[in-house]
Amino acid sequence: MKRLLFLILFSFFLISCSFAQKGTTTQHDTQMKWWREARFGMFIHWGLYSVPAGTWNEKTGYGEWIRTSAEIPLETYEQFMPRFNPVGFNADEWVKAARDAGMRYIVITSKHHDGFCMFDTKQTDFNIMKTPFKRDPMKELAVACEKYGLKFCFYYSIMDWHHPDYLPRREWEKDRTVGDADYNKYVAYMKAELKELLTQYGNIGVLWFDGEWEPTWNQTRGLDLYNYVKGLQPSILVNNRVGAGRLDMEGLTKQGMFGGDFGTPEQQIPPTGLPGTDWETCMTMNDHWGYNSNDKNFKSSKEIIRMLVDIASKGGNYLLNVGPTSLGTFPRESIDRLRDIGKWMELNSESVYGTNASPFVSTPWGRCTMKSVKGGFRLYLHVFNWPANSQLLVGGCLNKVNKAFILSDKNHPALKTVRVDDAIIISVPSAPPDSINTVVVLDFKGAPDFTDPPEISAAFSSLVDSLKITLSSPRPKVEIRFVVSDTVKQVDMGGVLYQGPFNLYNEYVVNARCFRDGKPVSGTSSRRFELKVPYAARAVSELKPGLSYRYFEGEWDNMPNFKKLQQWVFGTVDTLTLAPKKRNENFAMYFFGYIKVPKRTLYKFTLSSDDGSKLFIDDRLMINNDGLHSMLEKGMETGLNAGYHAIRVEYLQRTGSAGLELYIESPGVPKKLVTKEMLFHE
Ligand code: FHN
């Protein structure tokens, strides 16, 4: 009876979680609307760390991590408080600087990892009200954002190097013993502070969580915190760092994991657009988030403007950071960049705000953003490389041009256009009005008709016996023709008319193209599928369940050569686990034995780890996931005969969170963790 009751209750929990995660789609889209239109925001990292300004013990490379990177004891770090008096702080100036740069929202550190609170909290004295400043800059910024029409947003770190109940402690802080630290009390503290932030500072646009990567935090806690925050302000947006599913600095959310309302690539821009995914790249102007008085390595205004449109052309938002000084002023270089960006945005902002990702696979002259307009659509061509012959070629669009013009030209005088096949050629002036980025606008009537080639999809990229291939195109009134060959081939009307999925039984290239009324209306897409010859199974006997392992300690940034190491601990484990570790940081392990597979077919292994890892099958390196990174997964496909195959997994943990997972999947068998029933050793 108890088990039935538990199952019923657990089912309700799962159902509530799924709805609580994002509500209904339309409600989520409504809440995301301002954010998707904004496209551009200011990140501000400001706190006690601005007092040392990146320097400690003659070293000058620190930033907001200075307390732990320079191993500054808590009592010493707290001595920065009486020195923190940002008399130069002026909320109106900050907000106007963001607004005039074309930024539509501000995300500021209410509390970073050091635990120092930049707001008037009653939960701890470790806050700005206890400094000579005695003012609440968050309150003043909230008022200024309301005044100038920007969304005000908070960054809040889950990791906290100050609170006595936060765990884990820093490895180097031997004097700060765990004592009776209670992580649940820390979560209650966080919720109390979040309640202050979400009930005393007006409507907050985004709660930007961070510091979620340590093992004490997990998906369950993340979902609970998401629901708690949404309970306080239902329309607030929450990033994916509230949970535990972020893929490292790539910033997107692991498949199947809870990801809040948007992904958070950091210091990088995804290589292509991510249809159906909301994401925001956060980036510093120089090399530090927090103020570093020695860091003069600022990106040029040209780089920043081009990054802004690169991100918008992929459907993302750009959160550009400023690290204010301990006096409460922006660095001169930041002010100069914001001014230049503002000048460009003043003439061109409509090509960023409210736009969608480029419809093109490639635009060699620059980037493209797109917007629906009454009765048609508009393309914004961001031209970085001005055509020497004054002929700007835009390939891949079959719509009739209604008008072409330069966005920054007053009265928008029309530019001449002609069509050659699927290309539109625009006659532009001999010199670009803006050498950084001139925006040429193309207006069209009707629904977009781009010449995207068909998509060639399959469950795997290789095969042992057979593989099902599906061809598709979202475009109206087209037929797909294809050719299966040994090489990449252009498809013409002689290609086979696609009428449904088909199987491959050997290594081939599938080539496909869209046609309309007997004419090609797209380029050809091609995809090679590799034949895998299965590895022979090993002749083994008298195996025992589980894997053997070896454990070593040391500080490595890449996988060590285990043969040269002194062995610390060894034994067997049921399955891949870090349980034998003797400490949380600076150790390496390797596991070895056999994996038993049930049939002769293709197998895809996926290895996910924080930090580095490697997978060997039958002594061949299958996956190299080495290096220092948060949970990062890499996959590889191979053919195996039924039976036992040698397996070896190497693992490296430096500092911070740790994790190791190995998945397996095969045709008709979904991806799942490798289980102990599959693992054996001699
Ligand atoms: O550790 C923080 C870092 O200090 C900074 O706040 C960045 C900004 O996204 N987030 C973490 C690093 O991923």
Side-chain angles (χ1 to χ4, degrees):
M1 183 55 190
K2 277 186 182 174
R3 183 170 163 68
L4 176 62
L5 181 61
F6 168 78
L7 285 174
I8 292 166
L9 289 174
F10 187 67
S11 312
F12 274 116
F13 169 74
L14 288 177
I15 291 165
S16 64
C17 285
S18 59
F19 284 114
Q21 283 185 15
K22 277 185 182 171
T24 59
T25 304
T26 48
Q27 181 189 53
H28 174 68
D29 288 335
T30 304
Q31 292 177 354
M32 291 298 291
K33 191 171 182 299
W34 75 265
W35 187 89
R36 289 170 178 162
E37 286 182 357
R39 287 282 173 256
F40 192 25
M42 178 183 278
F43 213 170
I44 299 176
H45 277 68
W46 193 37
L48 209 48
Y49 40 79
S50 63
V51 173
T55 296
W56 188 256
N57 287 344
E58 283 99 53
K59 288 187 179 175
T60 59
Y62 301 111
E64 69 291 349
W65 271 67
I66 191 167
R67 165 131 139 79
T68 201
S69 302
E71 300 188 2
I72 302 173
L74 196 48
E75 302 66 35
T76 306
Y77 190 78
E78 289 171 340
Q79 292 315 304
F80 290 139
M81 286 179 71
R83 294 167 52 193
F84 191 30
N85 187 11
V87 294
F89 172 69
N90 180 314
D92 280 29
E93 280 177 13
W94 283 20
V95 175
K96 281 192 289 189
R99 178 202 59 182
D100 296 348
M103 295 160 157
R104 288 284 177 85
Y105 57 106
I106 290 177
V107 180
I108 186 165
T109 48
S110 63
K111 184 194 80 151
H112 202 264
H113 310 332
D114 61 358
F116 184 74
C117 299
M118 292 294 284
F119 61 102
D120 181 9
T121 175
K122 300 295 179 267
Q123 311 309 319
T124 173
D125 286 343
F126 193 48
N127 77 68
I128 193 158
M129 304 304 286
K130 306 299 180 194
T131 70
F133 192 53
K134 293 184 176 36
R135 281 160 49 189
D136 182 344
M138 300 301 112
K139 188 78 80 180
E140 296 175 29
L141 283 166
V143 169
C145 281
E146 180 70 25
K147 185 172 163 185
Y148 295 107
L150 270 71
K151 286 281 188 181
F152 186 51
C153 313
F154 286 124
Y155 166 111
Y156 189 91
S157 174
I158 292 165
M159 179 163 66
D160 187 312
W161 304 328
H162 183 273
H163 196 280
D165 286 317
Y166 182 81
L167 295 169
R169 292 285 194 268
R170 299 313 90 196
E171 288 261 327
W172 54 271
E173 271 196 305
K174 306 300 181 194
D175 59 324
R176 272 190 86 218
T177 55
V178 169
D180 57 356
D182 177 343
Y183 194 81
N184 289 325
K185 284 185 185 166
Y186 171 69
V187 173
Y189 164 82
M190 254 201 308
K191 286 185 173 180
E193 288 207 320
L194 290 167
K195 185 169 185 176
E196 292 174 323
L197 290 170
L198 298 181
T199 57
Q200 298 169 18
Y201 295 84
N203 287 330
I204 303 301
V206 175
L207 211 297
W208 213 97
F209 284 106
D210 199 10
E212 84 289 4
W213 51 79
E214 298 207 299
T216 38
W217 197 251
N218 57 42
Q219 279 290 84
T220 306
R221 290 190 186 280
L223 203 52
D224 170 63
L225 195 58
Y226 178 89
N227 291 329
Y228 176 75
V229 164
K230 295 288 261 190
L232 290 168
Q233 288 207 17
S235 298
I236 196 169
L237 303 179
V238 180
N239 70 350
N240 67 344
R241 301 189 186 195
V242 69
R246 171 170 59 115
L247 267 171
D248 195 29
M249 294 307 189
E250 182 189 326
L252 300 176
T253 305
K254 271 195 286 193
Q255 202 171 1
M257 298 287 271
F258 174 57
D261 295 310
F262 59 89
T264 53
E266 180 169 327
Q267 303 284 38
Q268 57 185 278
I269 300 170
T272 63
L274 301 161
T277 302
D278 287 302
W279 55 275
E280 169 195 75
T281 281
C282 58
M283 195 179 283
T284 54
M285 279 199 196
N286 53 7
D287 294 330
H288 292 87
W289 297 101
Y291 178 60
N292 178 307
S293 59
N294 291 283
D295 180 355
K296 301 303 179 187
N297 187 30
F298 283 79
K299 295 173 182 67
S300 67
S301 303
K302 173 178 176 180
E303 283 175 295
I304 293 171
I305 289 167
R306 289 188 174 184
M307 280 184 194
L308 170 61
V309 298
D310 180 28
I311 289 166
S313 77
K314 292 164 181 170
N317 280 23
Y318 191 22
L319 190 63
L320 181 62
N321 185 70
V322 174
T325 69
S326 61
L327 284 178
T329 56
F330 286 177
R332 176 74 253 159
E333 298 86 347
S334 298
I335 295 169
D336 293 345
R337 300 310 181 274
L338 291 170
R339 183 201 57 239
D340 293 347
I341 298 162
K343 280 183 186 157
W344 185 86
M345 284 292 273
E346 196 174 350
L347 295 172
N348 300 288
S349 61
E350 79 162 78
S351 67
V352 172
Y353 296 144
T355 58
N356 297 306
S358 169
F360 300 113
V361 174
S362 83
T363 48
W365 32 260
R367 298 293 182 271
C368 177
T369 52
M370 182 176 175
K371 201 178 272 187
S372 298
V373 294
K374 191 170 174 3
F377 64 99
R378 174 169 281 191
L379 295 183
Y380 298 97
L381 314 179
H382 299 267
V383 186
F384 301 165
N385 313 312
W386 199 254
N389 62 358
S390 300
Q391 302 296 292
L392 182 62
L393 186 145
V394 181
C397 174
L398 298 181
N399 294 87
K400 183 178 177 308
V401 177
N402 195 39
K403 184 180 178 183
F405 58 91
I406 291 174
L407 185 58
S408 57
D409 274 0
K410 284 203 182 336
N411 310 320
H412 295 162
L415 299 173
K416 180 173 166 289
T417 64
V418 294
R419 170 171 292 284
V420 175
D421 295 337
D422 73 318
I424 298 164
I425 297 177
I426 309 158
S427 299
V428 294
S430 56
D434 183 321
S435 60
I436 291 178
N437 174 11
T438 294
V439 180
V440 175
V441 178
L442 282 179
D443 269 344
F444 300 93
K445 285 193 184 308
D449 185 4
F450 295 104
T451 60
D452 293 345
E455 183 171 347
I456 303 170
S457 45
F460 298 94
S461 298
S462 41
L463 64 142
V464 167
D465 297 313
S466 67
L467 183 63
K468 186 170 84 171
I469 308 296
T470 304
L471 306 179
S472 61
S473 168
R475 299 174 58 213
K477 303 193 306 284
V478 294
E479 58 181 30
I480 299 173
R481 291 184 175 273
F482 68 98
V483 169
V484 176
S485 68
D486 298 330
T487 61
V488 170
K489 264 196 172 141
Q490 183 80 290
V491 178
D492 57 26
M493 273 304 284
V496 176
L497 179 63
Y498 177 71
Q499 294 177 306
F502 57 90
N503 281 333
L504 288 184
Y505 297 94
N506 210 318
E507 179 159 323
Y508 284 114
V509 176
V510 176
N511 307 280
R513 193 175 191 185
C514 294
F515 290 79
R516 186 181 290 155
D517 307 330
K519 289 186 180 168
V521 288
S522 84
T524 296
S525 48
S526 302
R527 183 176 172 188
R528 176 179 294 281
F529 295 93
E530 204 184 331
L531 181 70
K532 295 284 188 183
V533 178
Y535 297 160
R538 297 293 175 93
V540 288
S541 61
E542 295 174 31
L543 295 181
K544 296 181 279 300
L547 292 177
S548 300
Y549 76 86
R550 300 288 181 267
Y551 168 86
F552 307 81
E553 291 189 349
E555 296 184 14
W556 303 285
D557 290 345
N558 287 100
M559 207 65 72
N561 179 346
F562 290 98
K563 294 193 179 83
K564 295 185 175 177
L565 298 183
Q566 176 210 346
Q567 186 174 294
W568 281 68
V569 177
F570 65 92
T572 60
V573 285
D574 276 352
T575 182
L576 284 181
T577 169
L578 303 182
K581 66 186 170 58
K582 300 304 171 197
R583 61 187 190 183
N584 292 327
E585 303 185 327
N586 301 315
F587 67 89
M589 301 178 73
Y590 67 84
F591 306 81
F592 60 100
Y594 295 90
I595 184 167
K596 183 180 182 185
V597 295
K599 64 184 282 194
R600 175 187 178 279
T601 186
L602 182 84
Y603 290 91
K604 179 176 181 180
F605 290 93
T606 304
L607 184 62
S608 182
S609 69
D610 171 358
D611 287 300
S613 59
K614 287 184 179 179
L615 170 68
F616 299 79
I617 297 287
D618 290 335
D619 306 322
R620 298 170 177 90
L621 176 60
M622 291 290 297
I623 297 176
N624 186 346
N625 198 4
D626 198 358
L628 303 186
H629 49 69
S630 294
M631 281 306 271
L632 180 64
E633 67 174 39
K634 286 190 179 175
M636 175 60 83
E637 297 171 5
T638 186
L640 299 175
N641 276 335
Y644 295 94
H645 294 266
I647 184 169
R648 175 183 168 102
V649 177
E650 298 181 353
Y651 173 75
L652 159 67
Q653 163 60 352
R654 188 76 168 77
T655 60
S657 51
L660 177 63
E661 296 166 351
L662 178 63
Y663 297 89
I664 187 169
E665 62 191 295
S666 57
V669 182
K671 179 177 177 181
K672 63 178 182 178
L673 277 168
V674 167
T675 57
K676 62 183 180 182
E677 290 73 22
M678 305 171 77
L679 299 171
F680 301 84
H681 67 284
E682 284 172 319

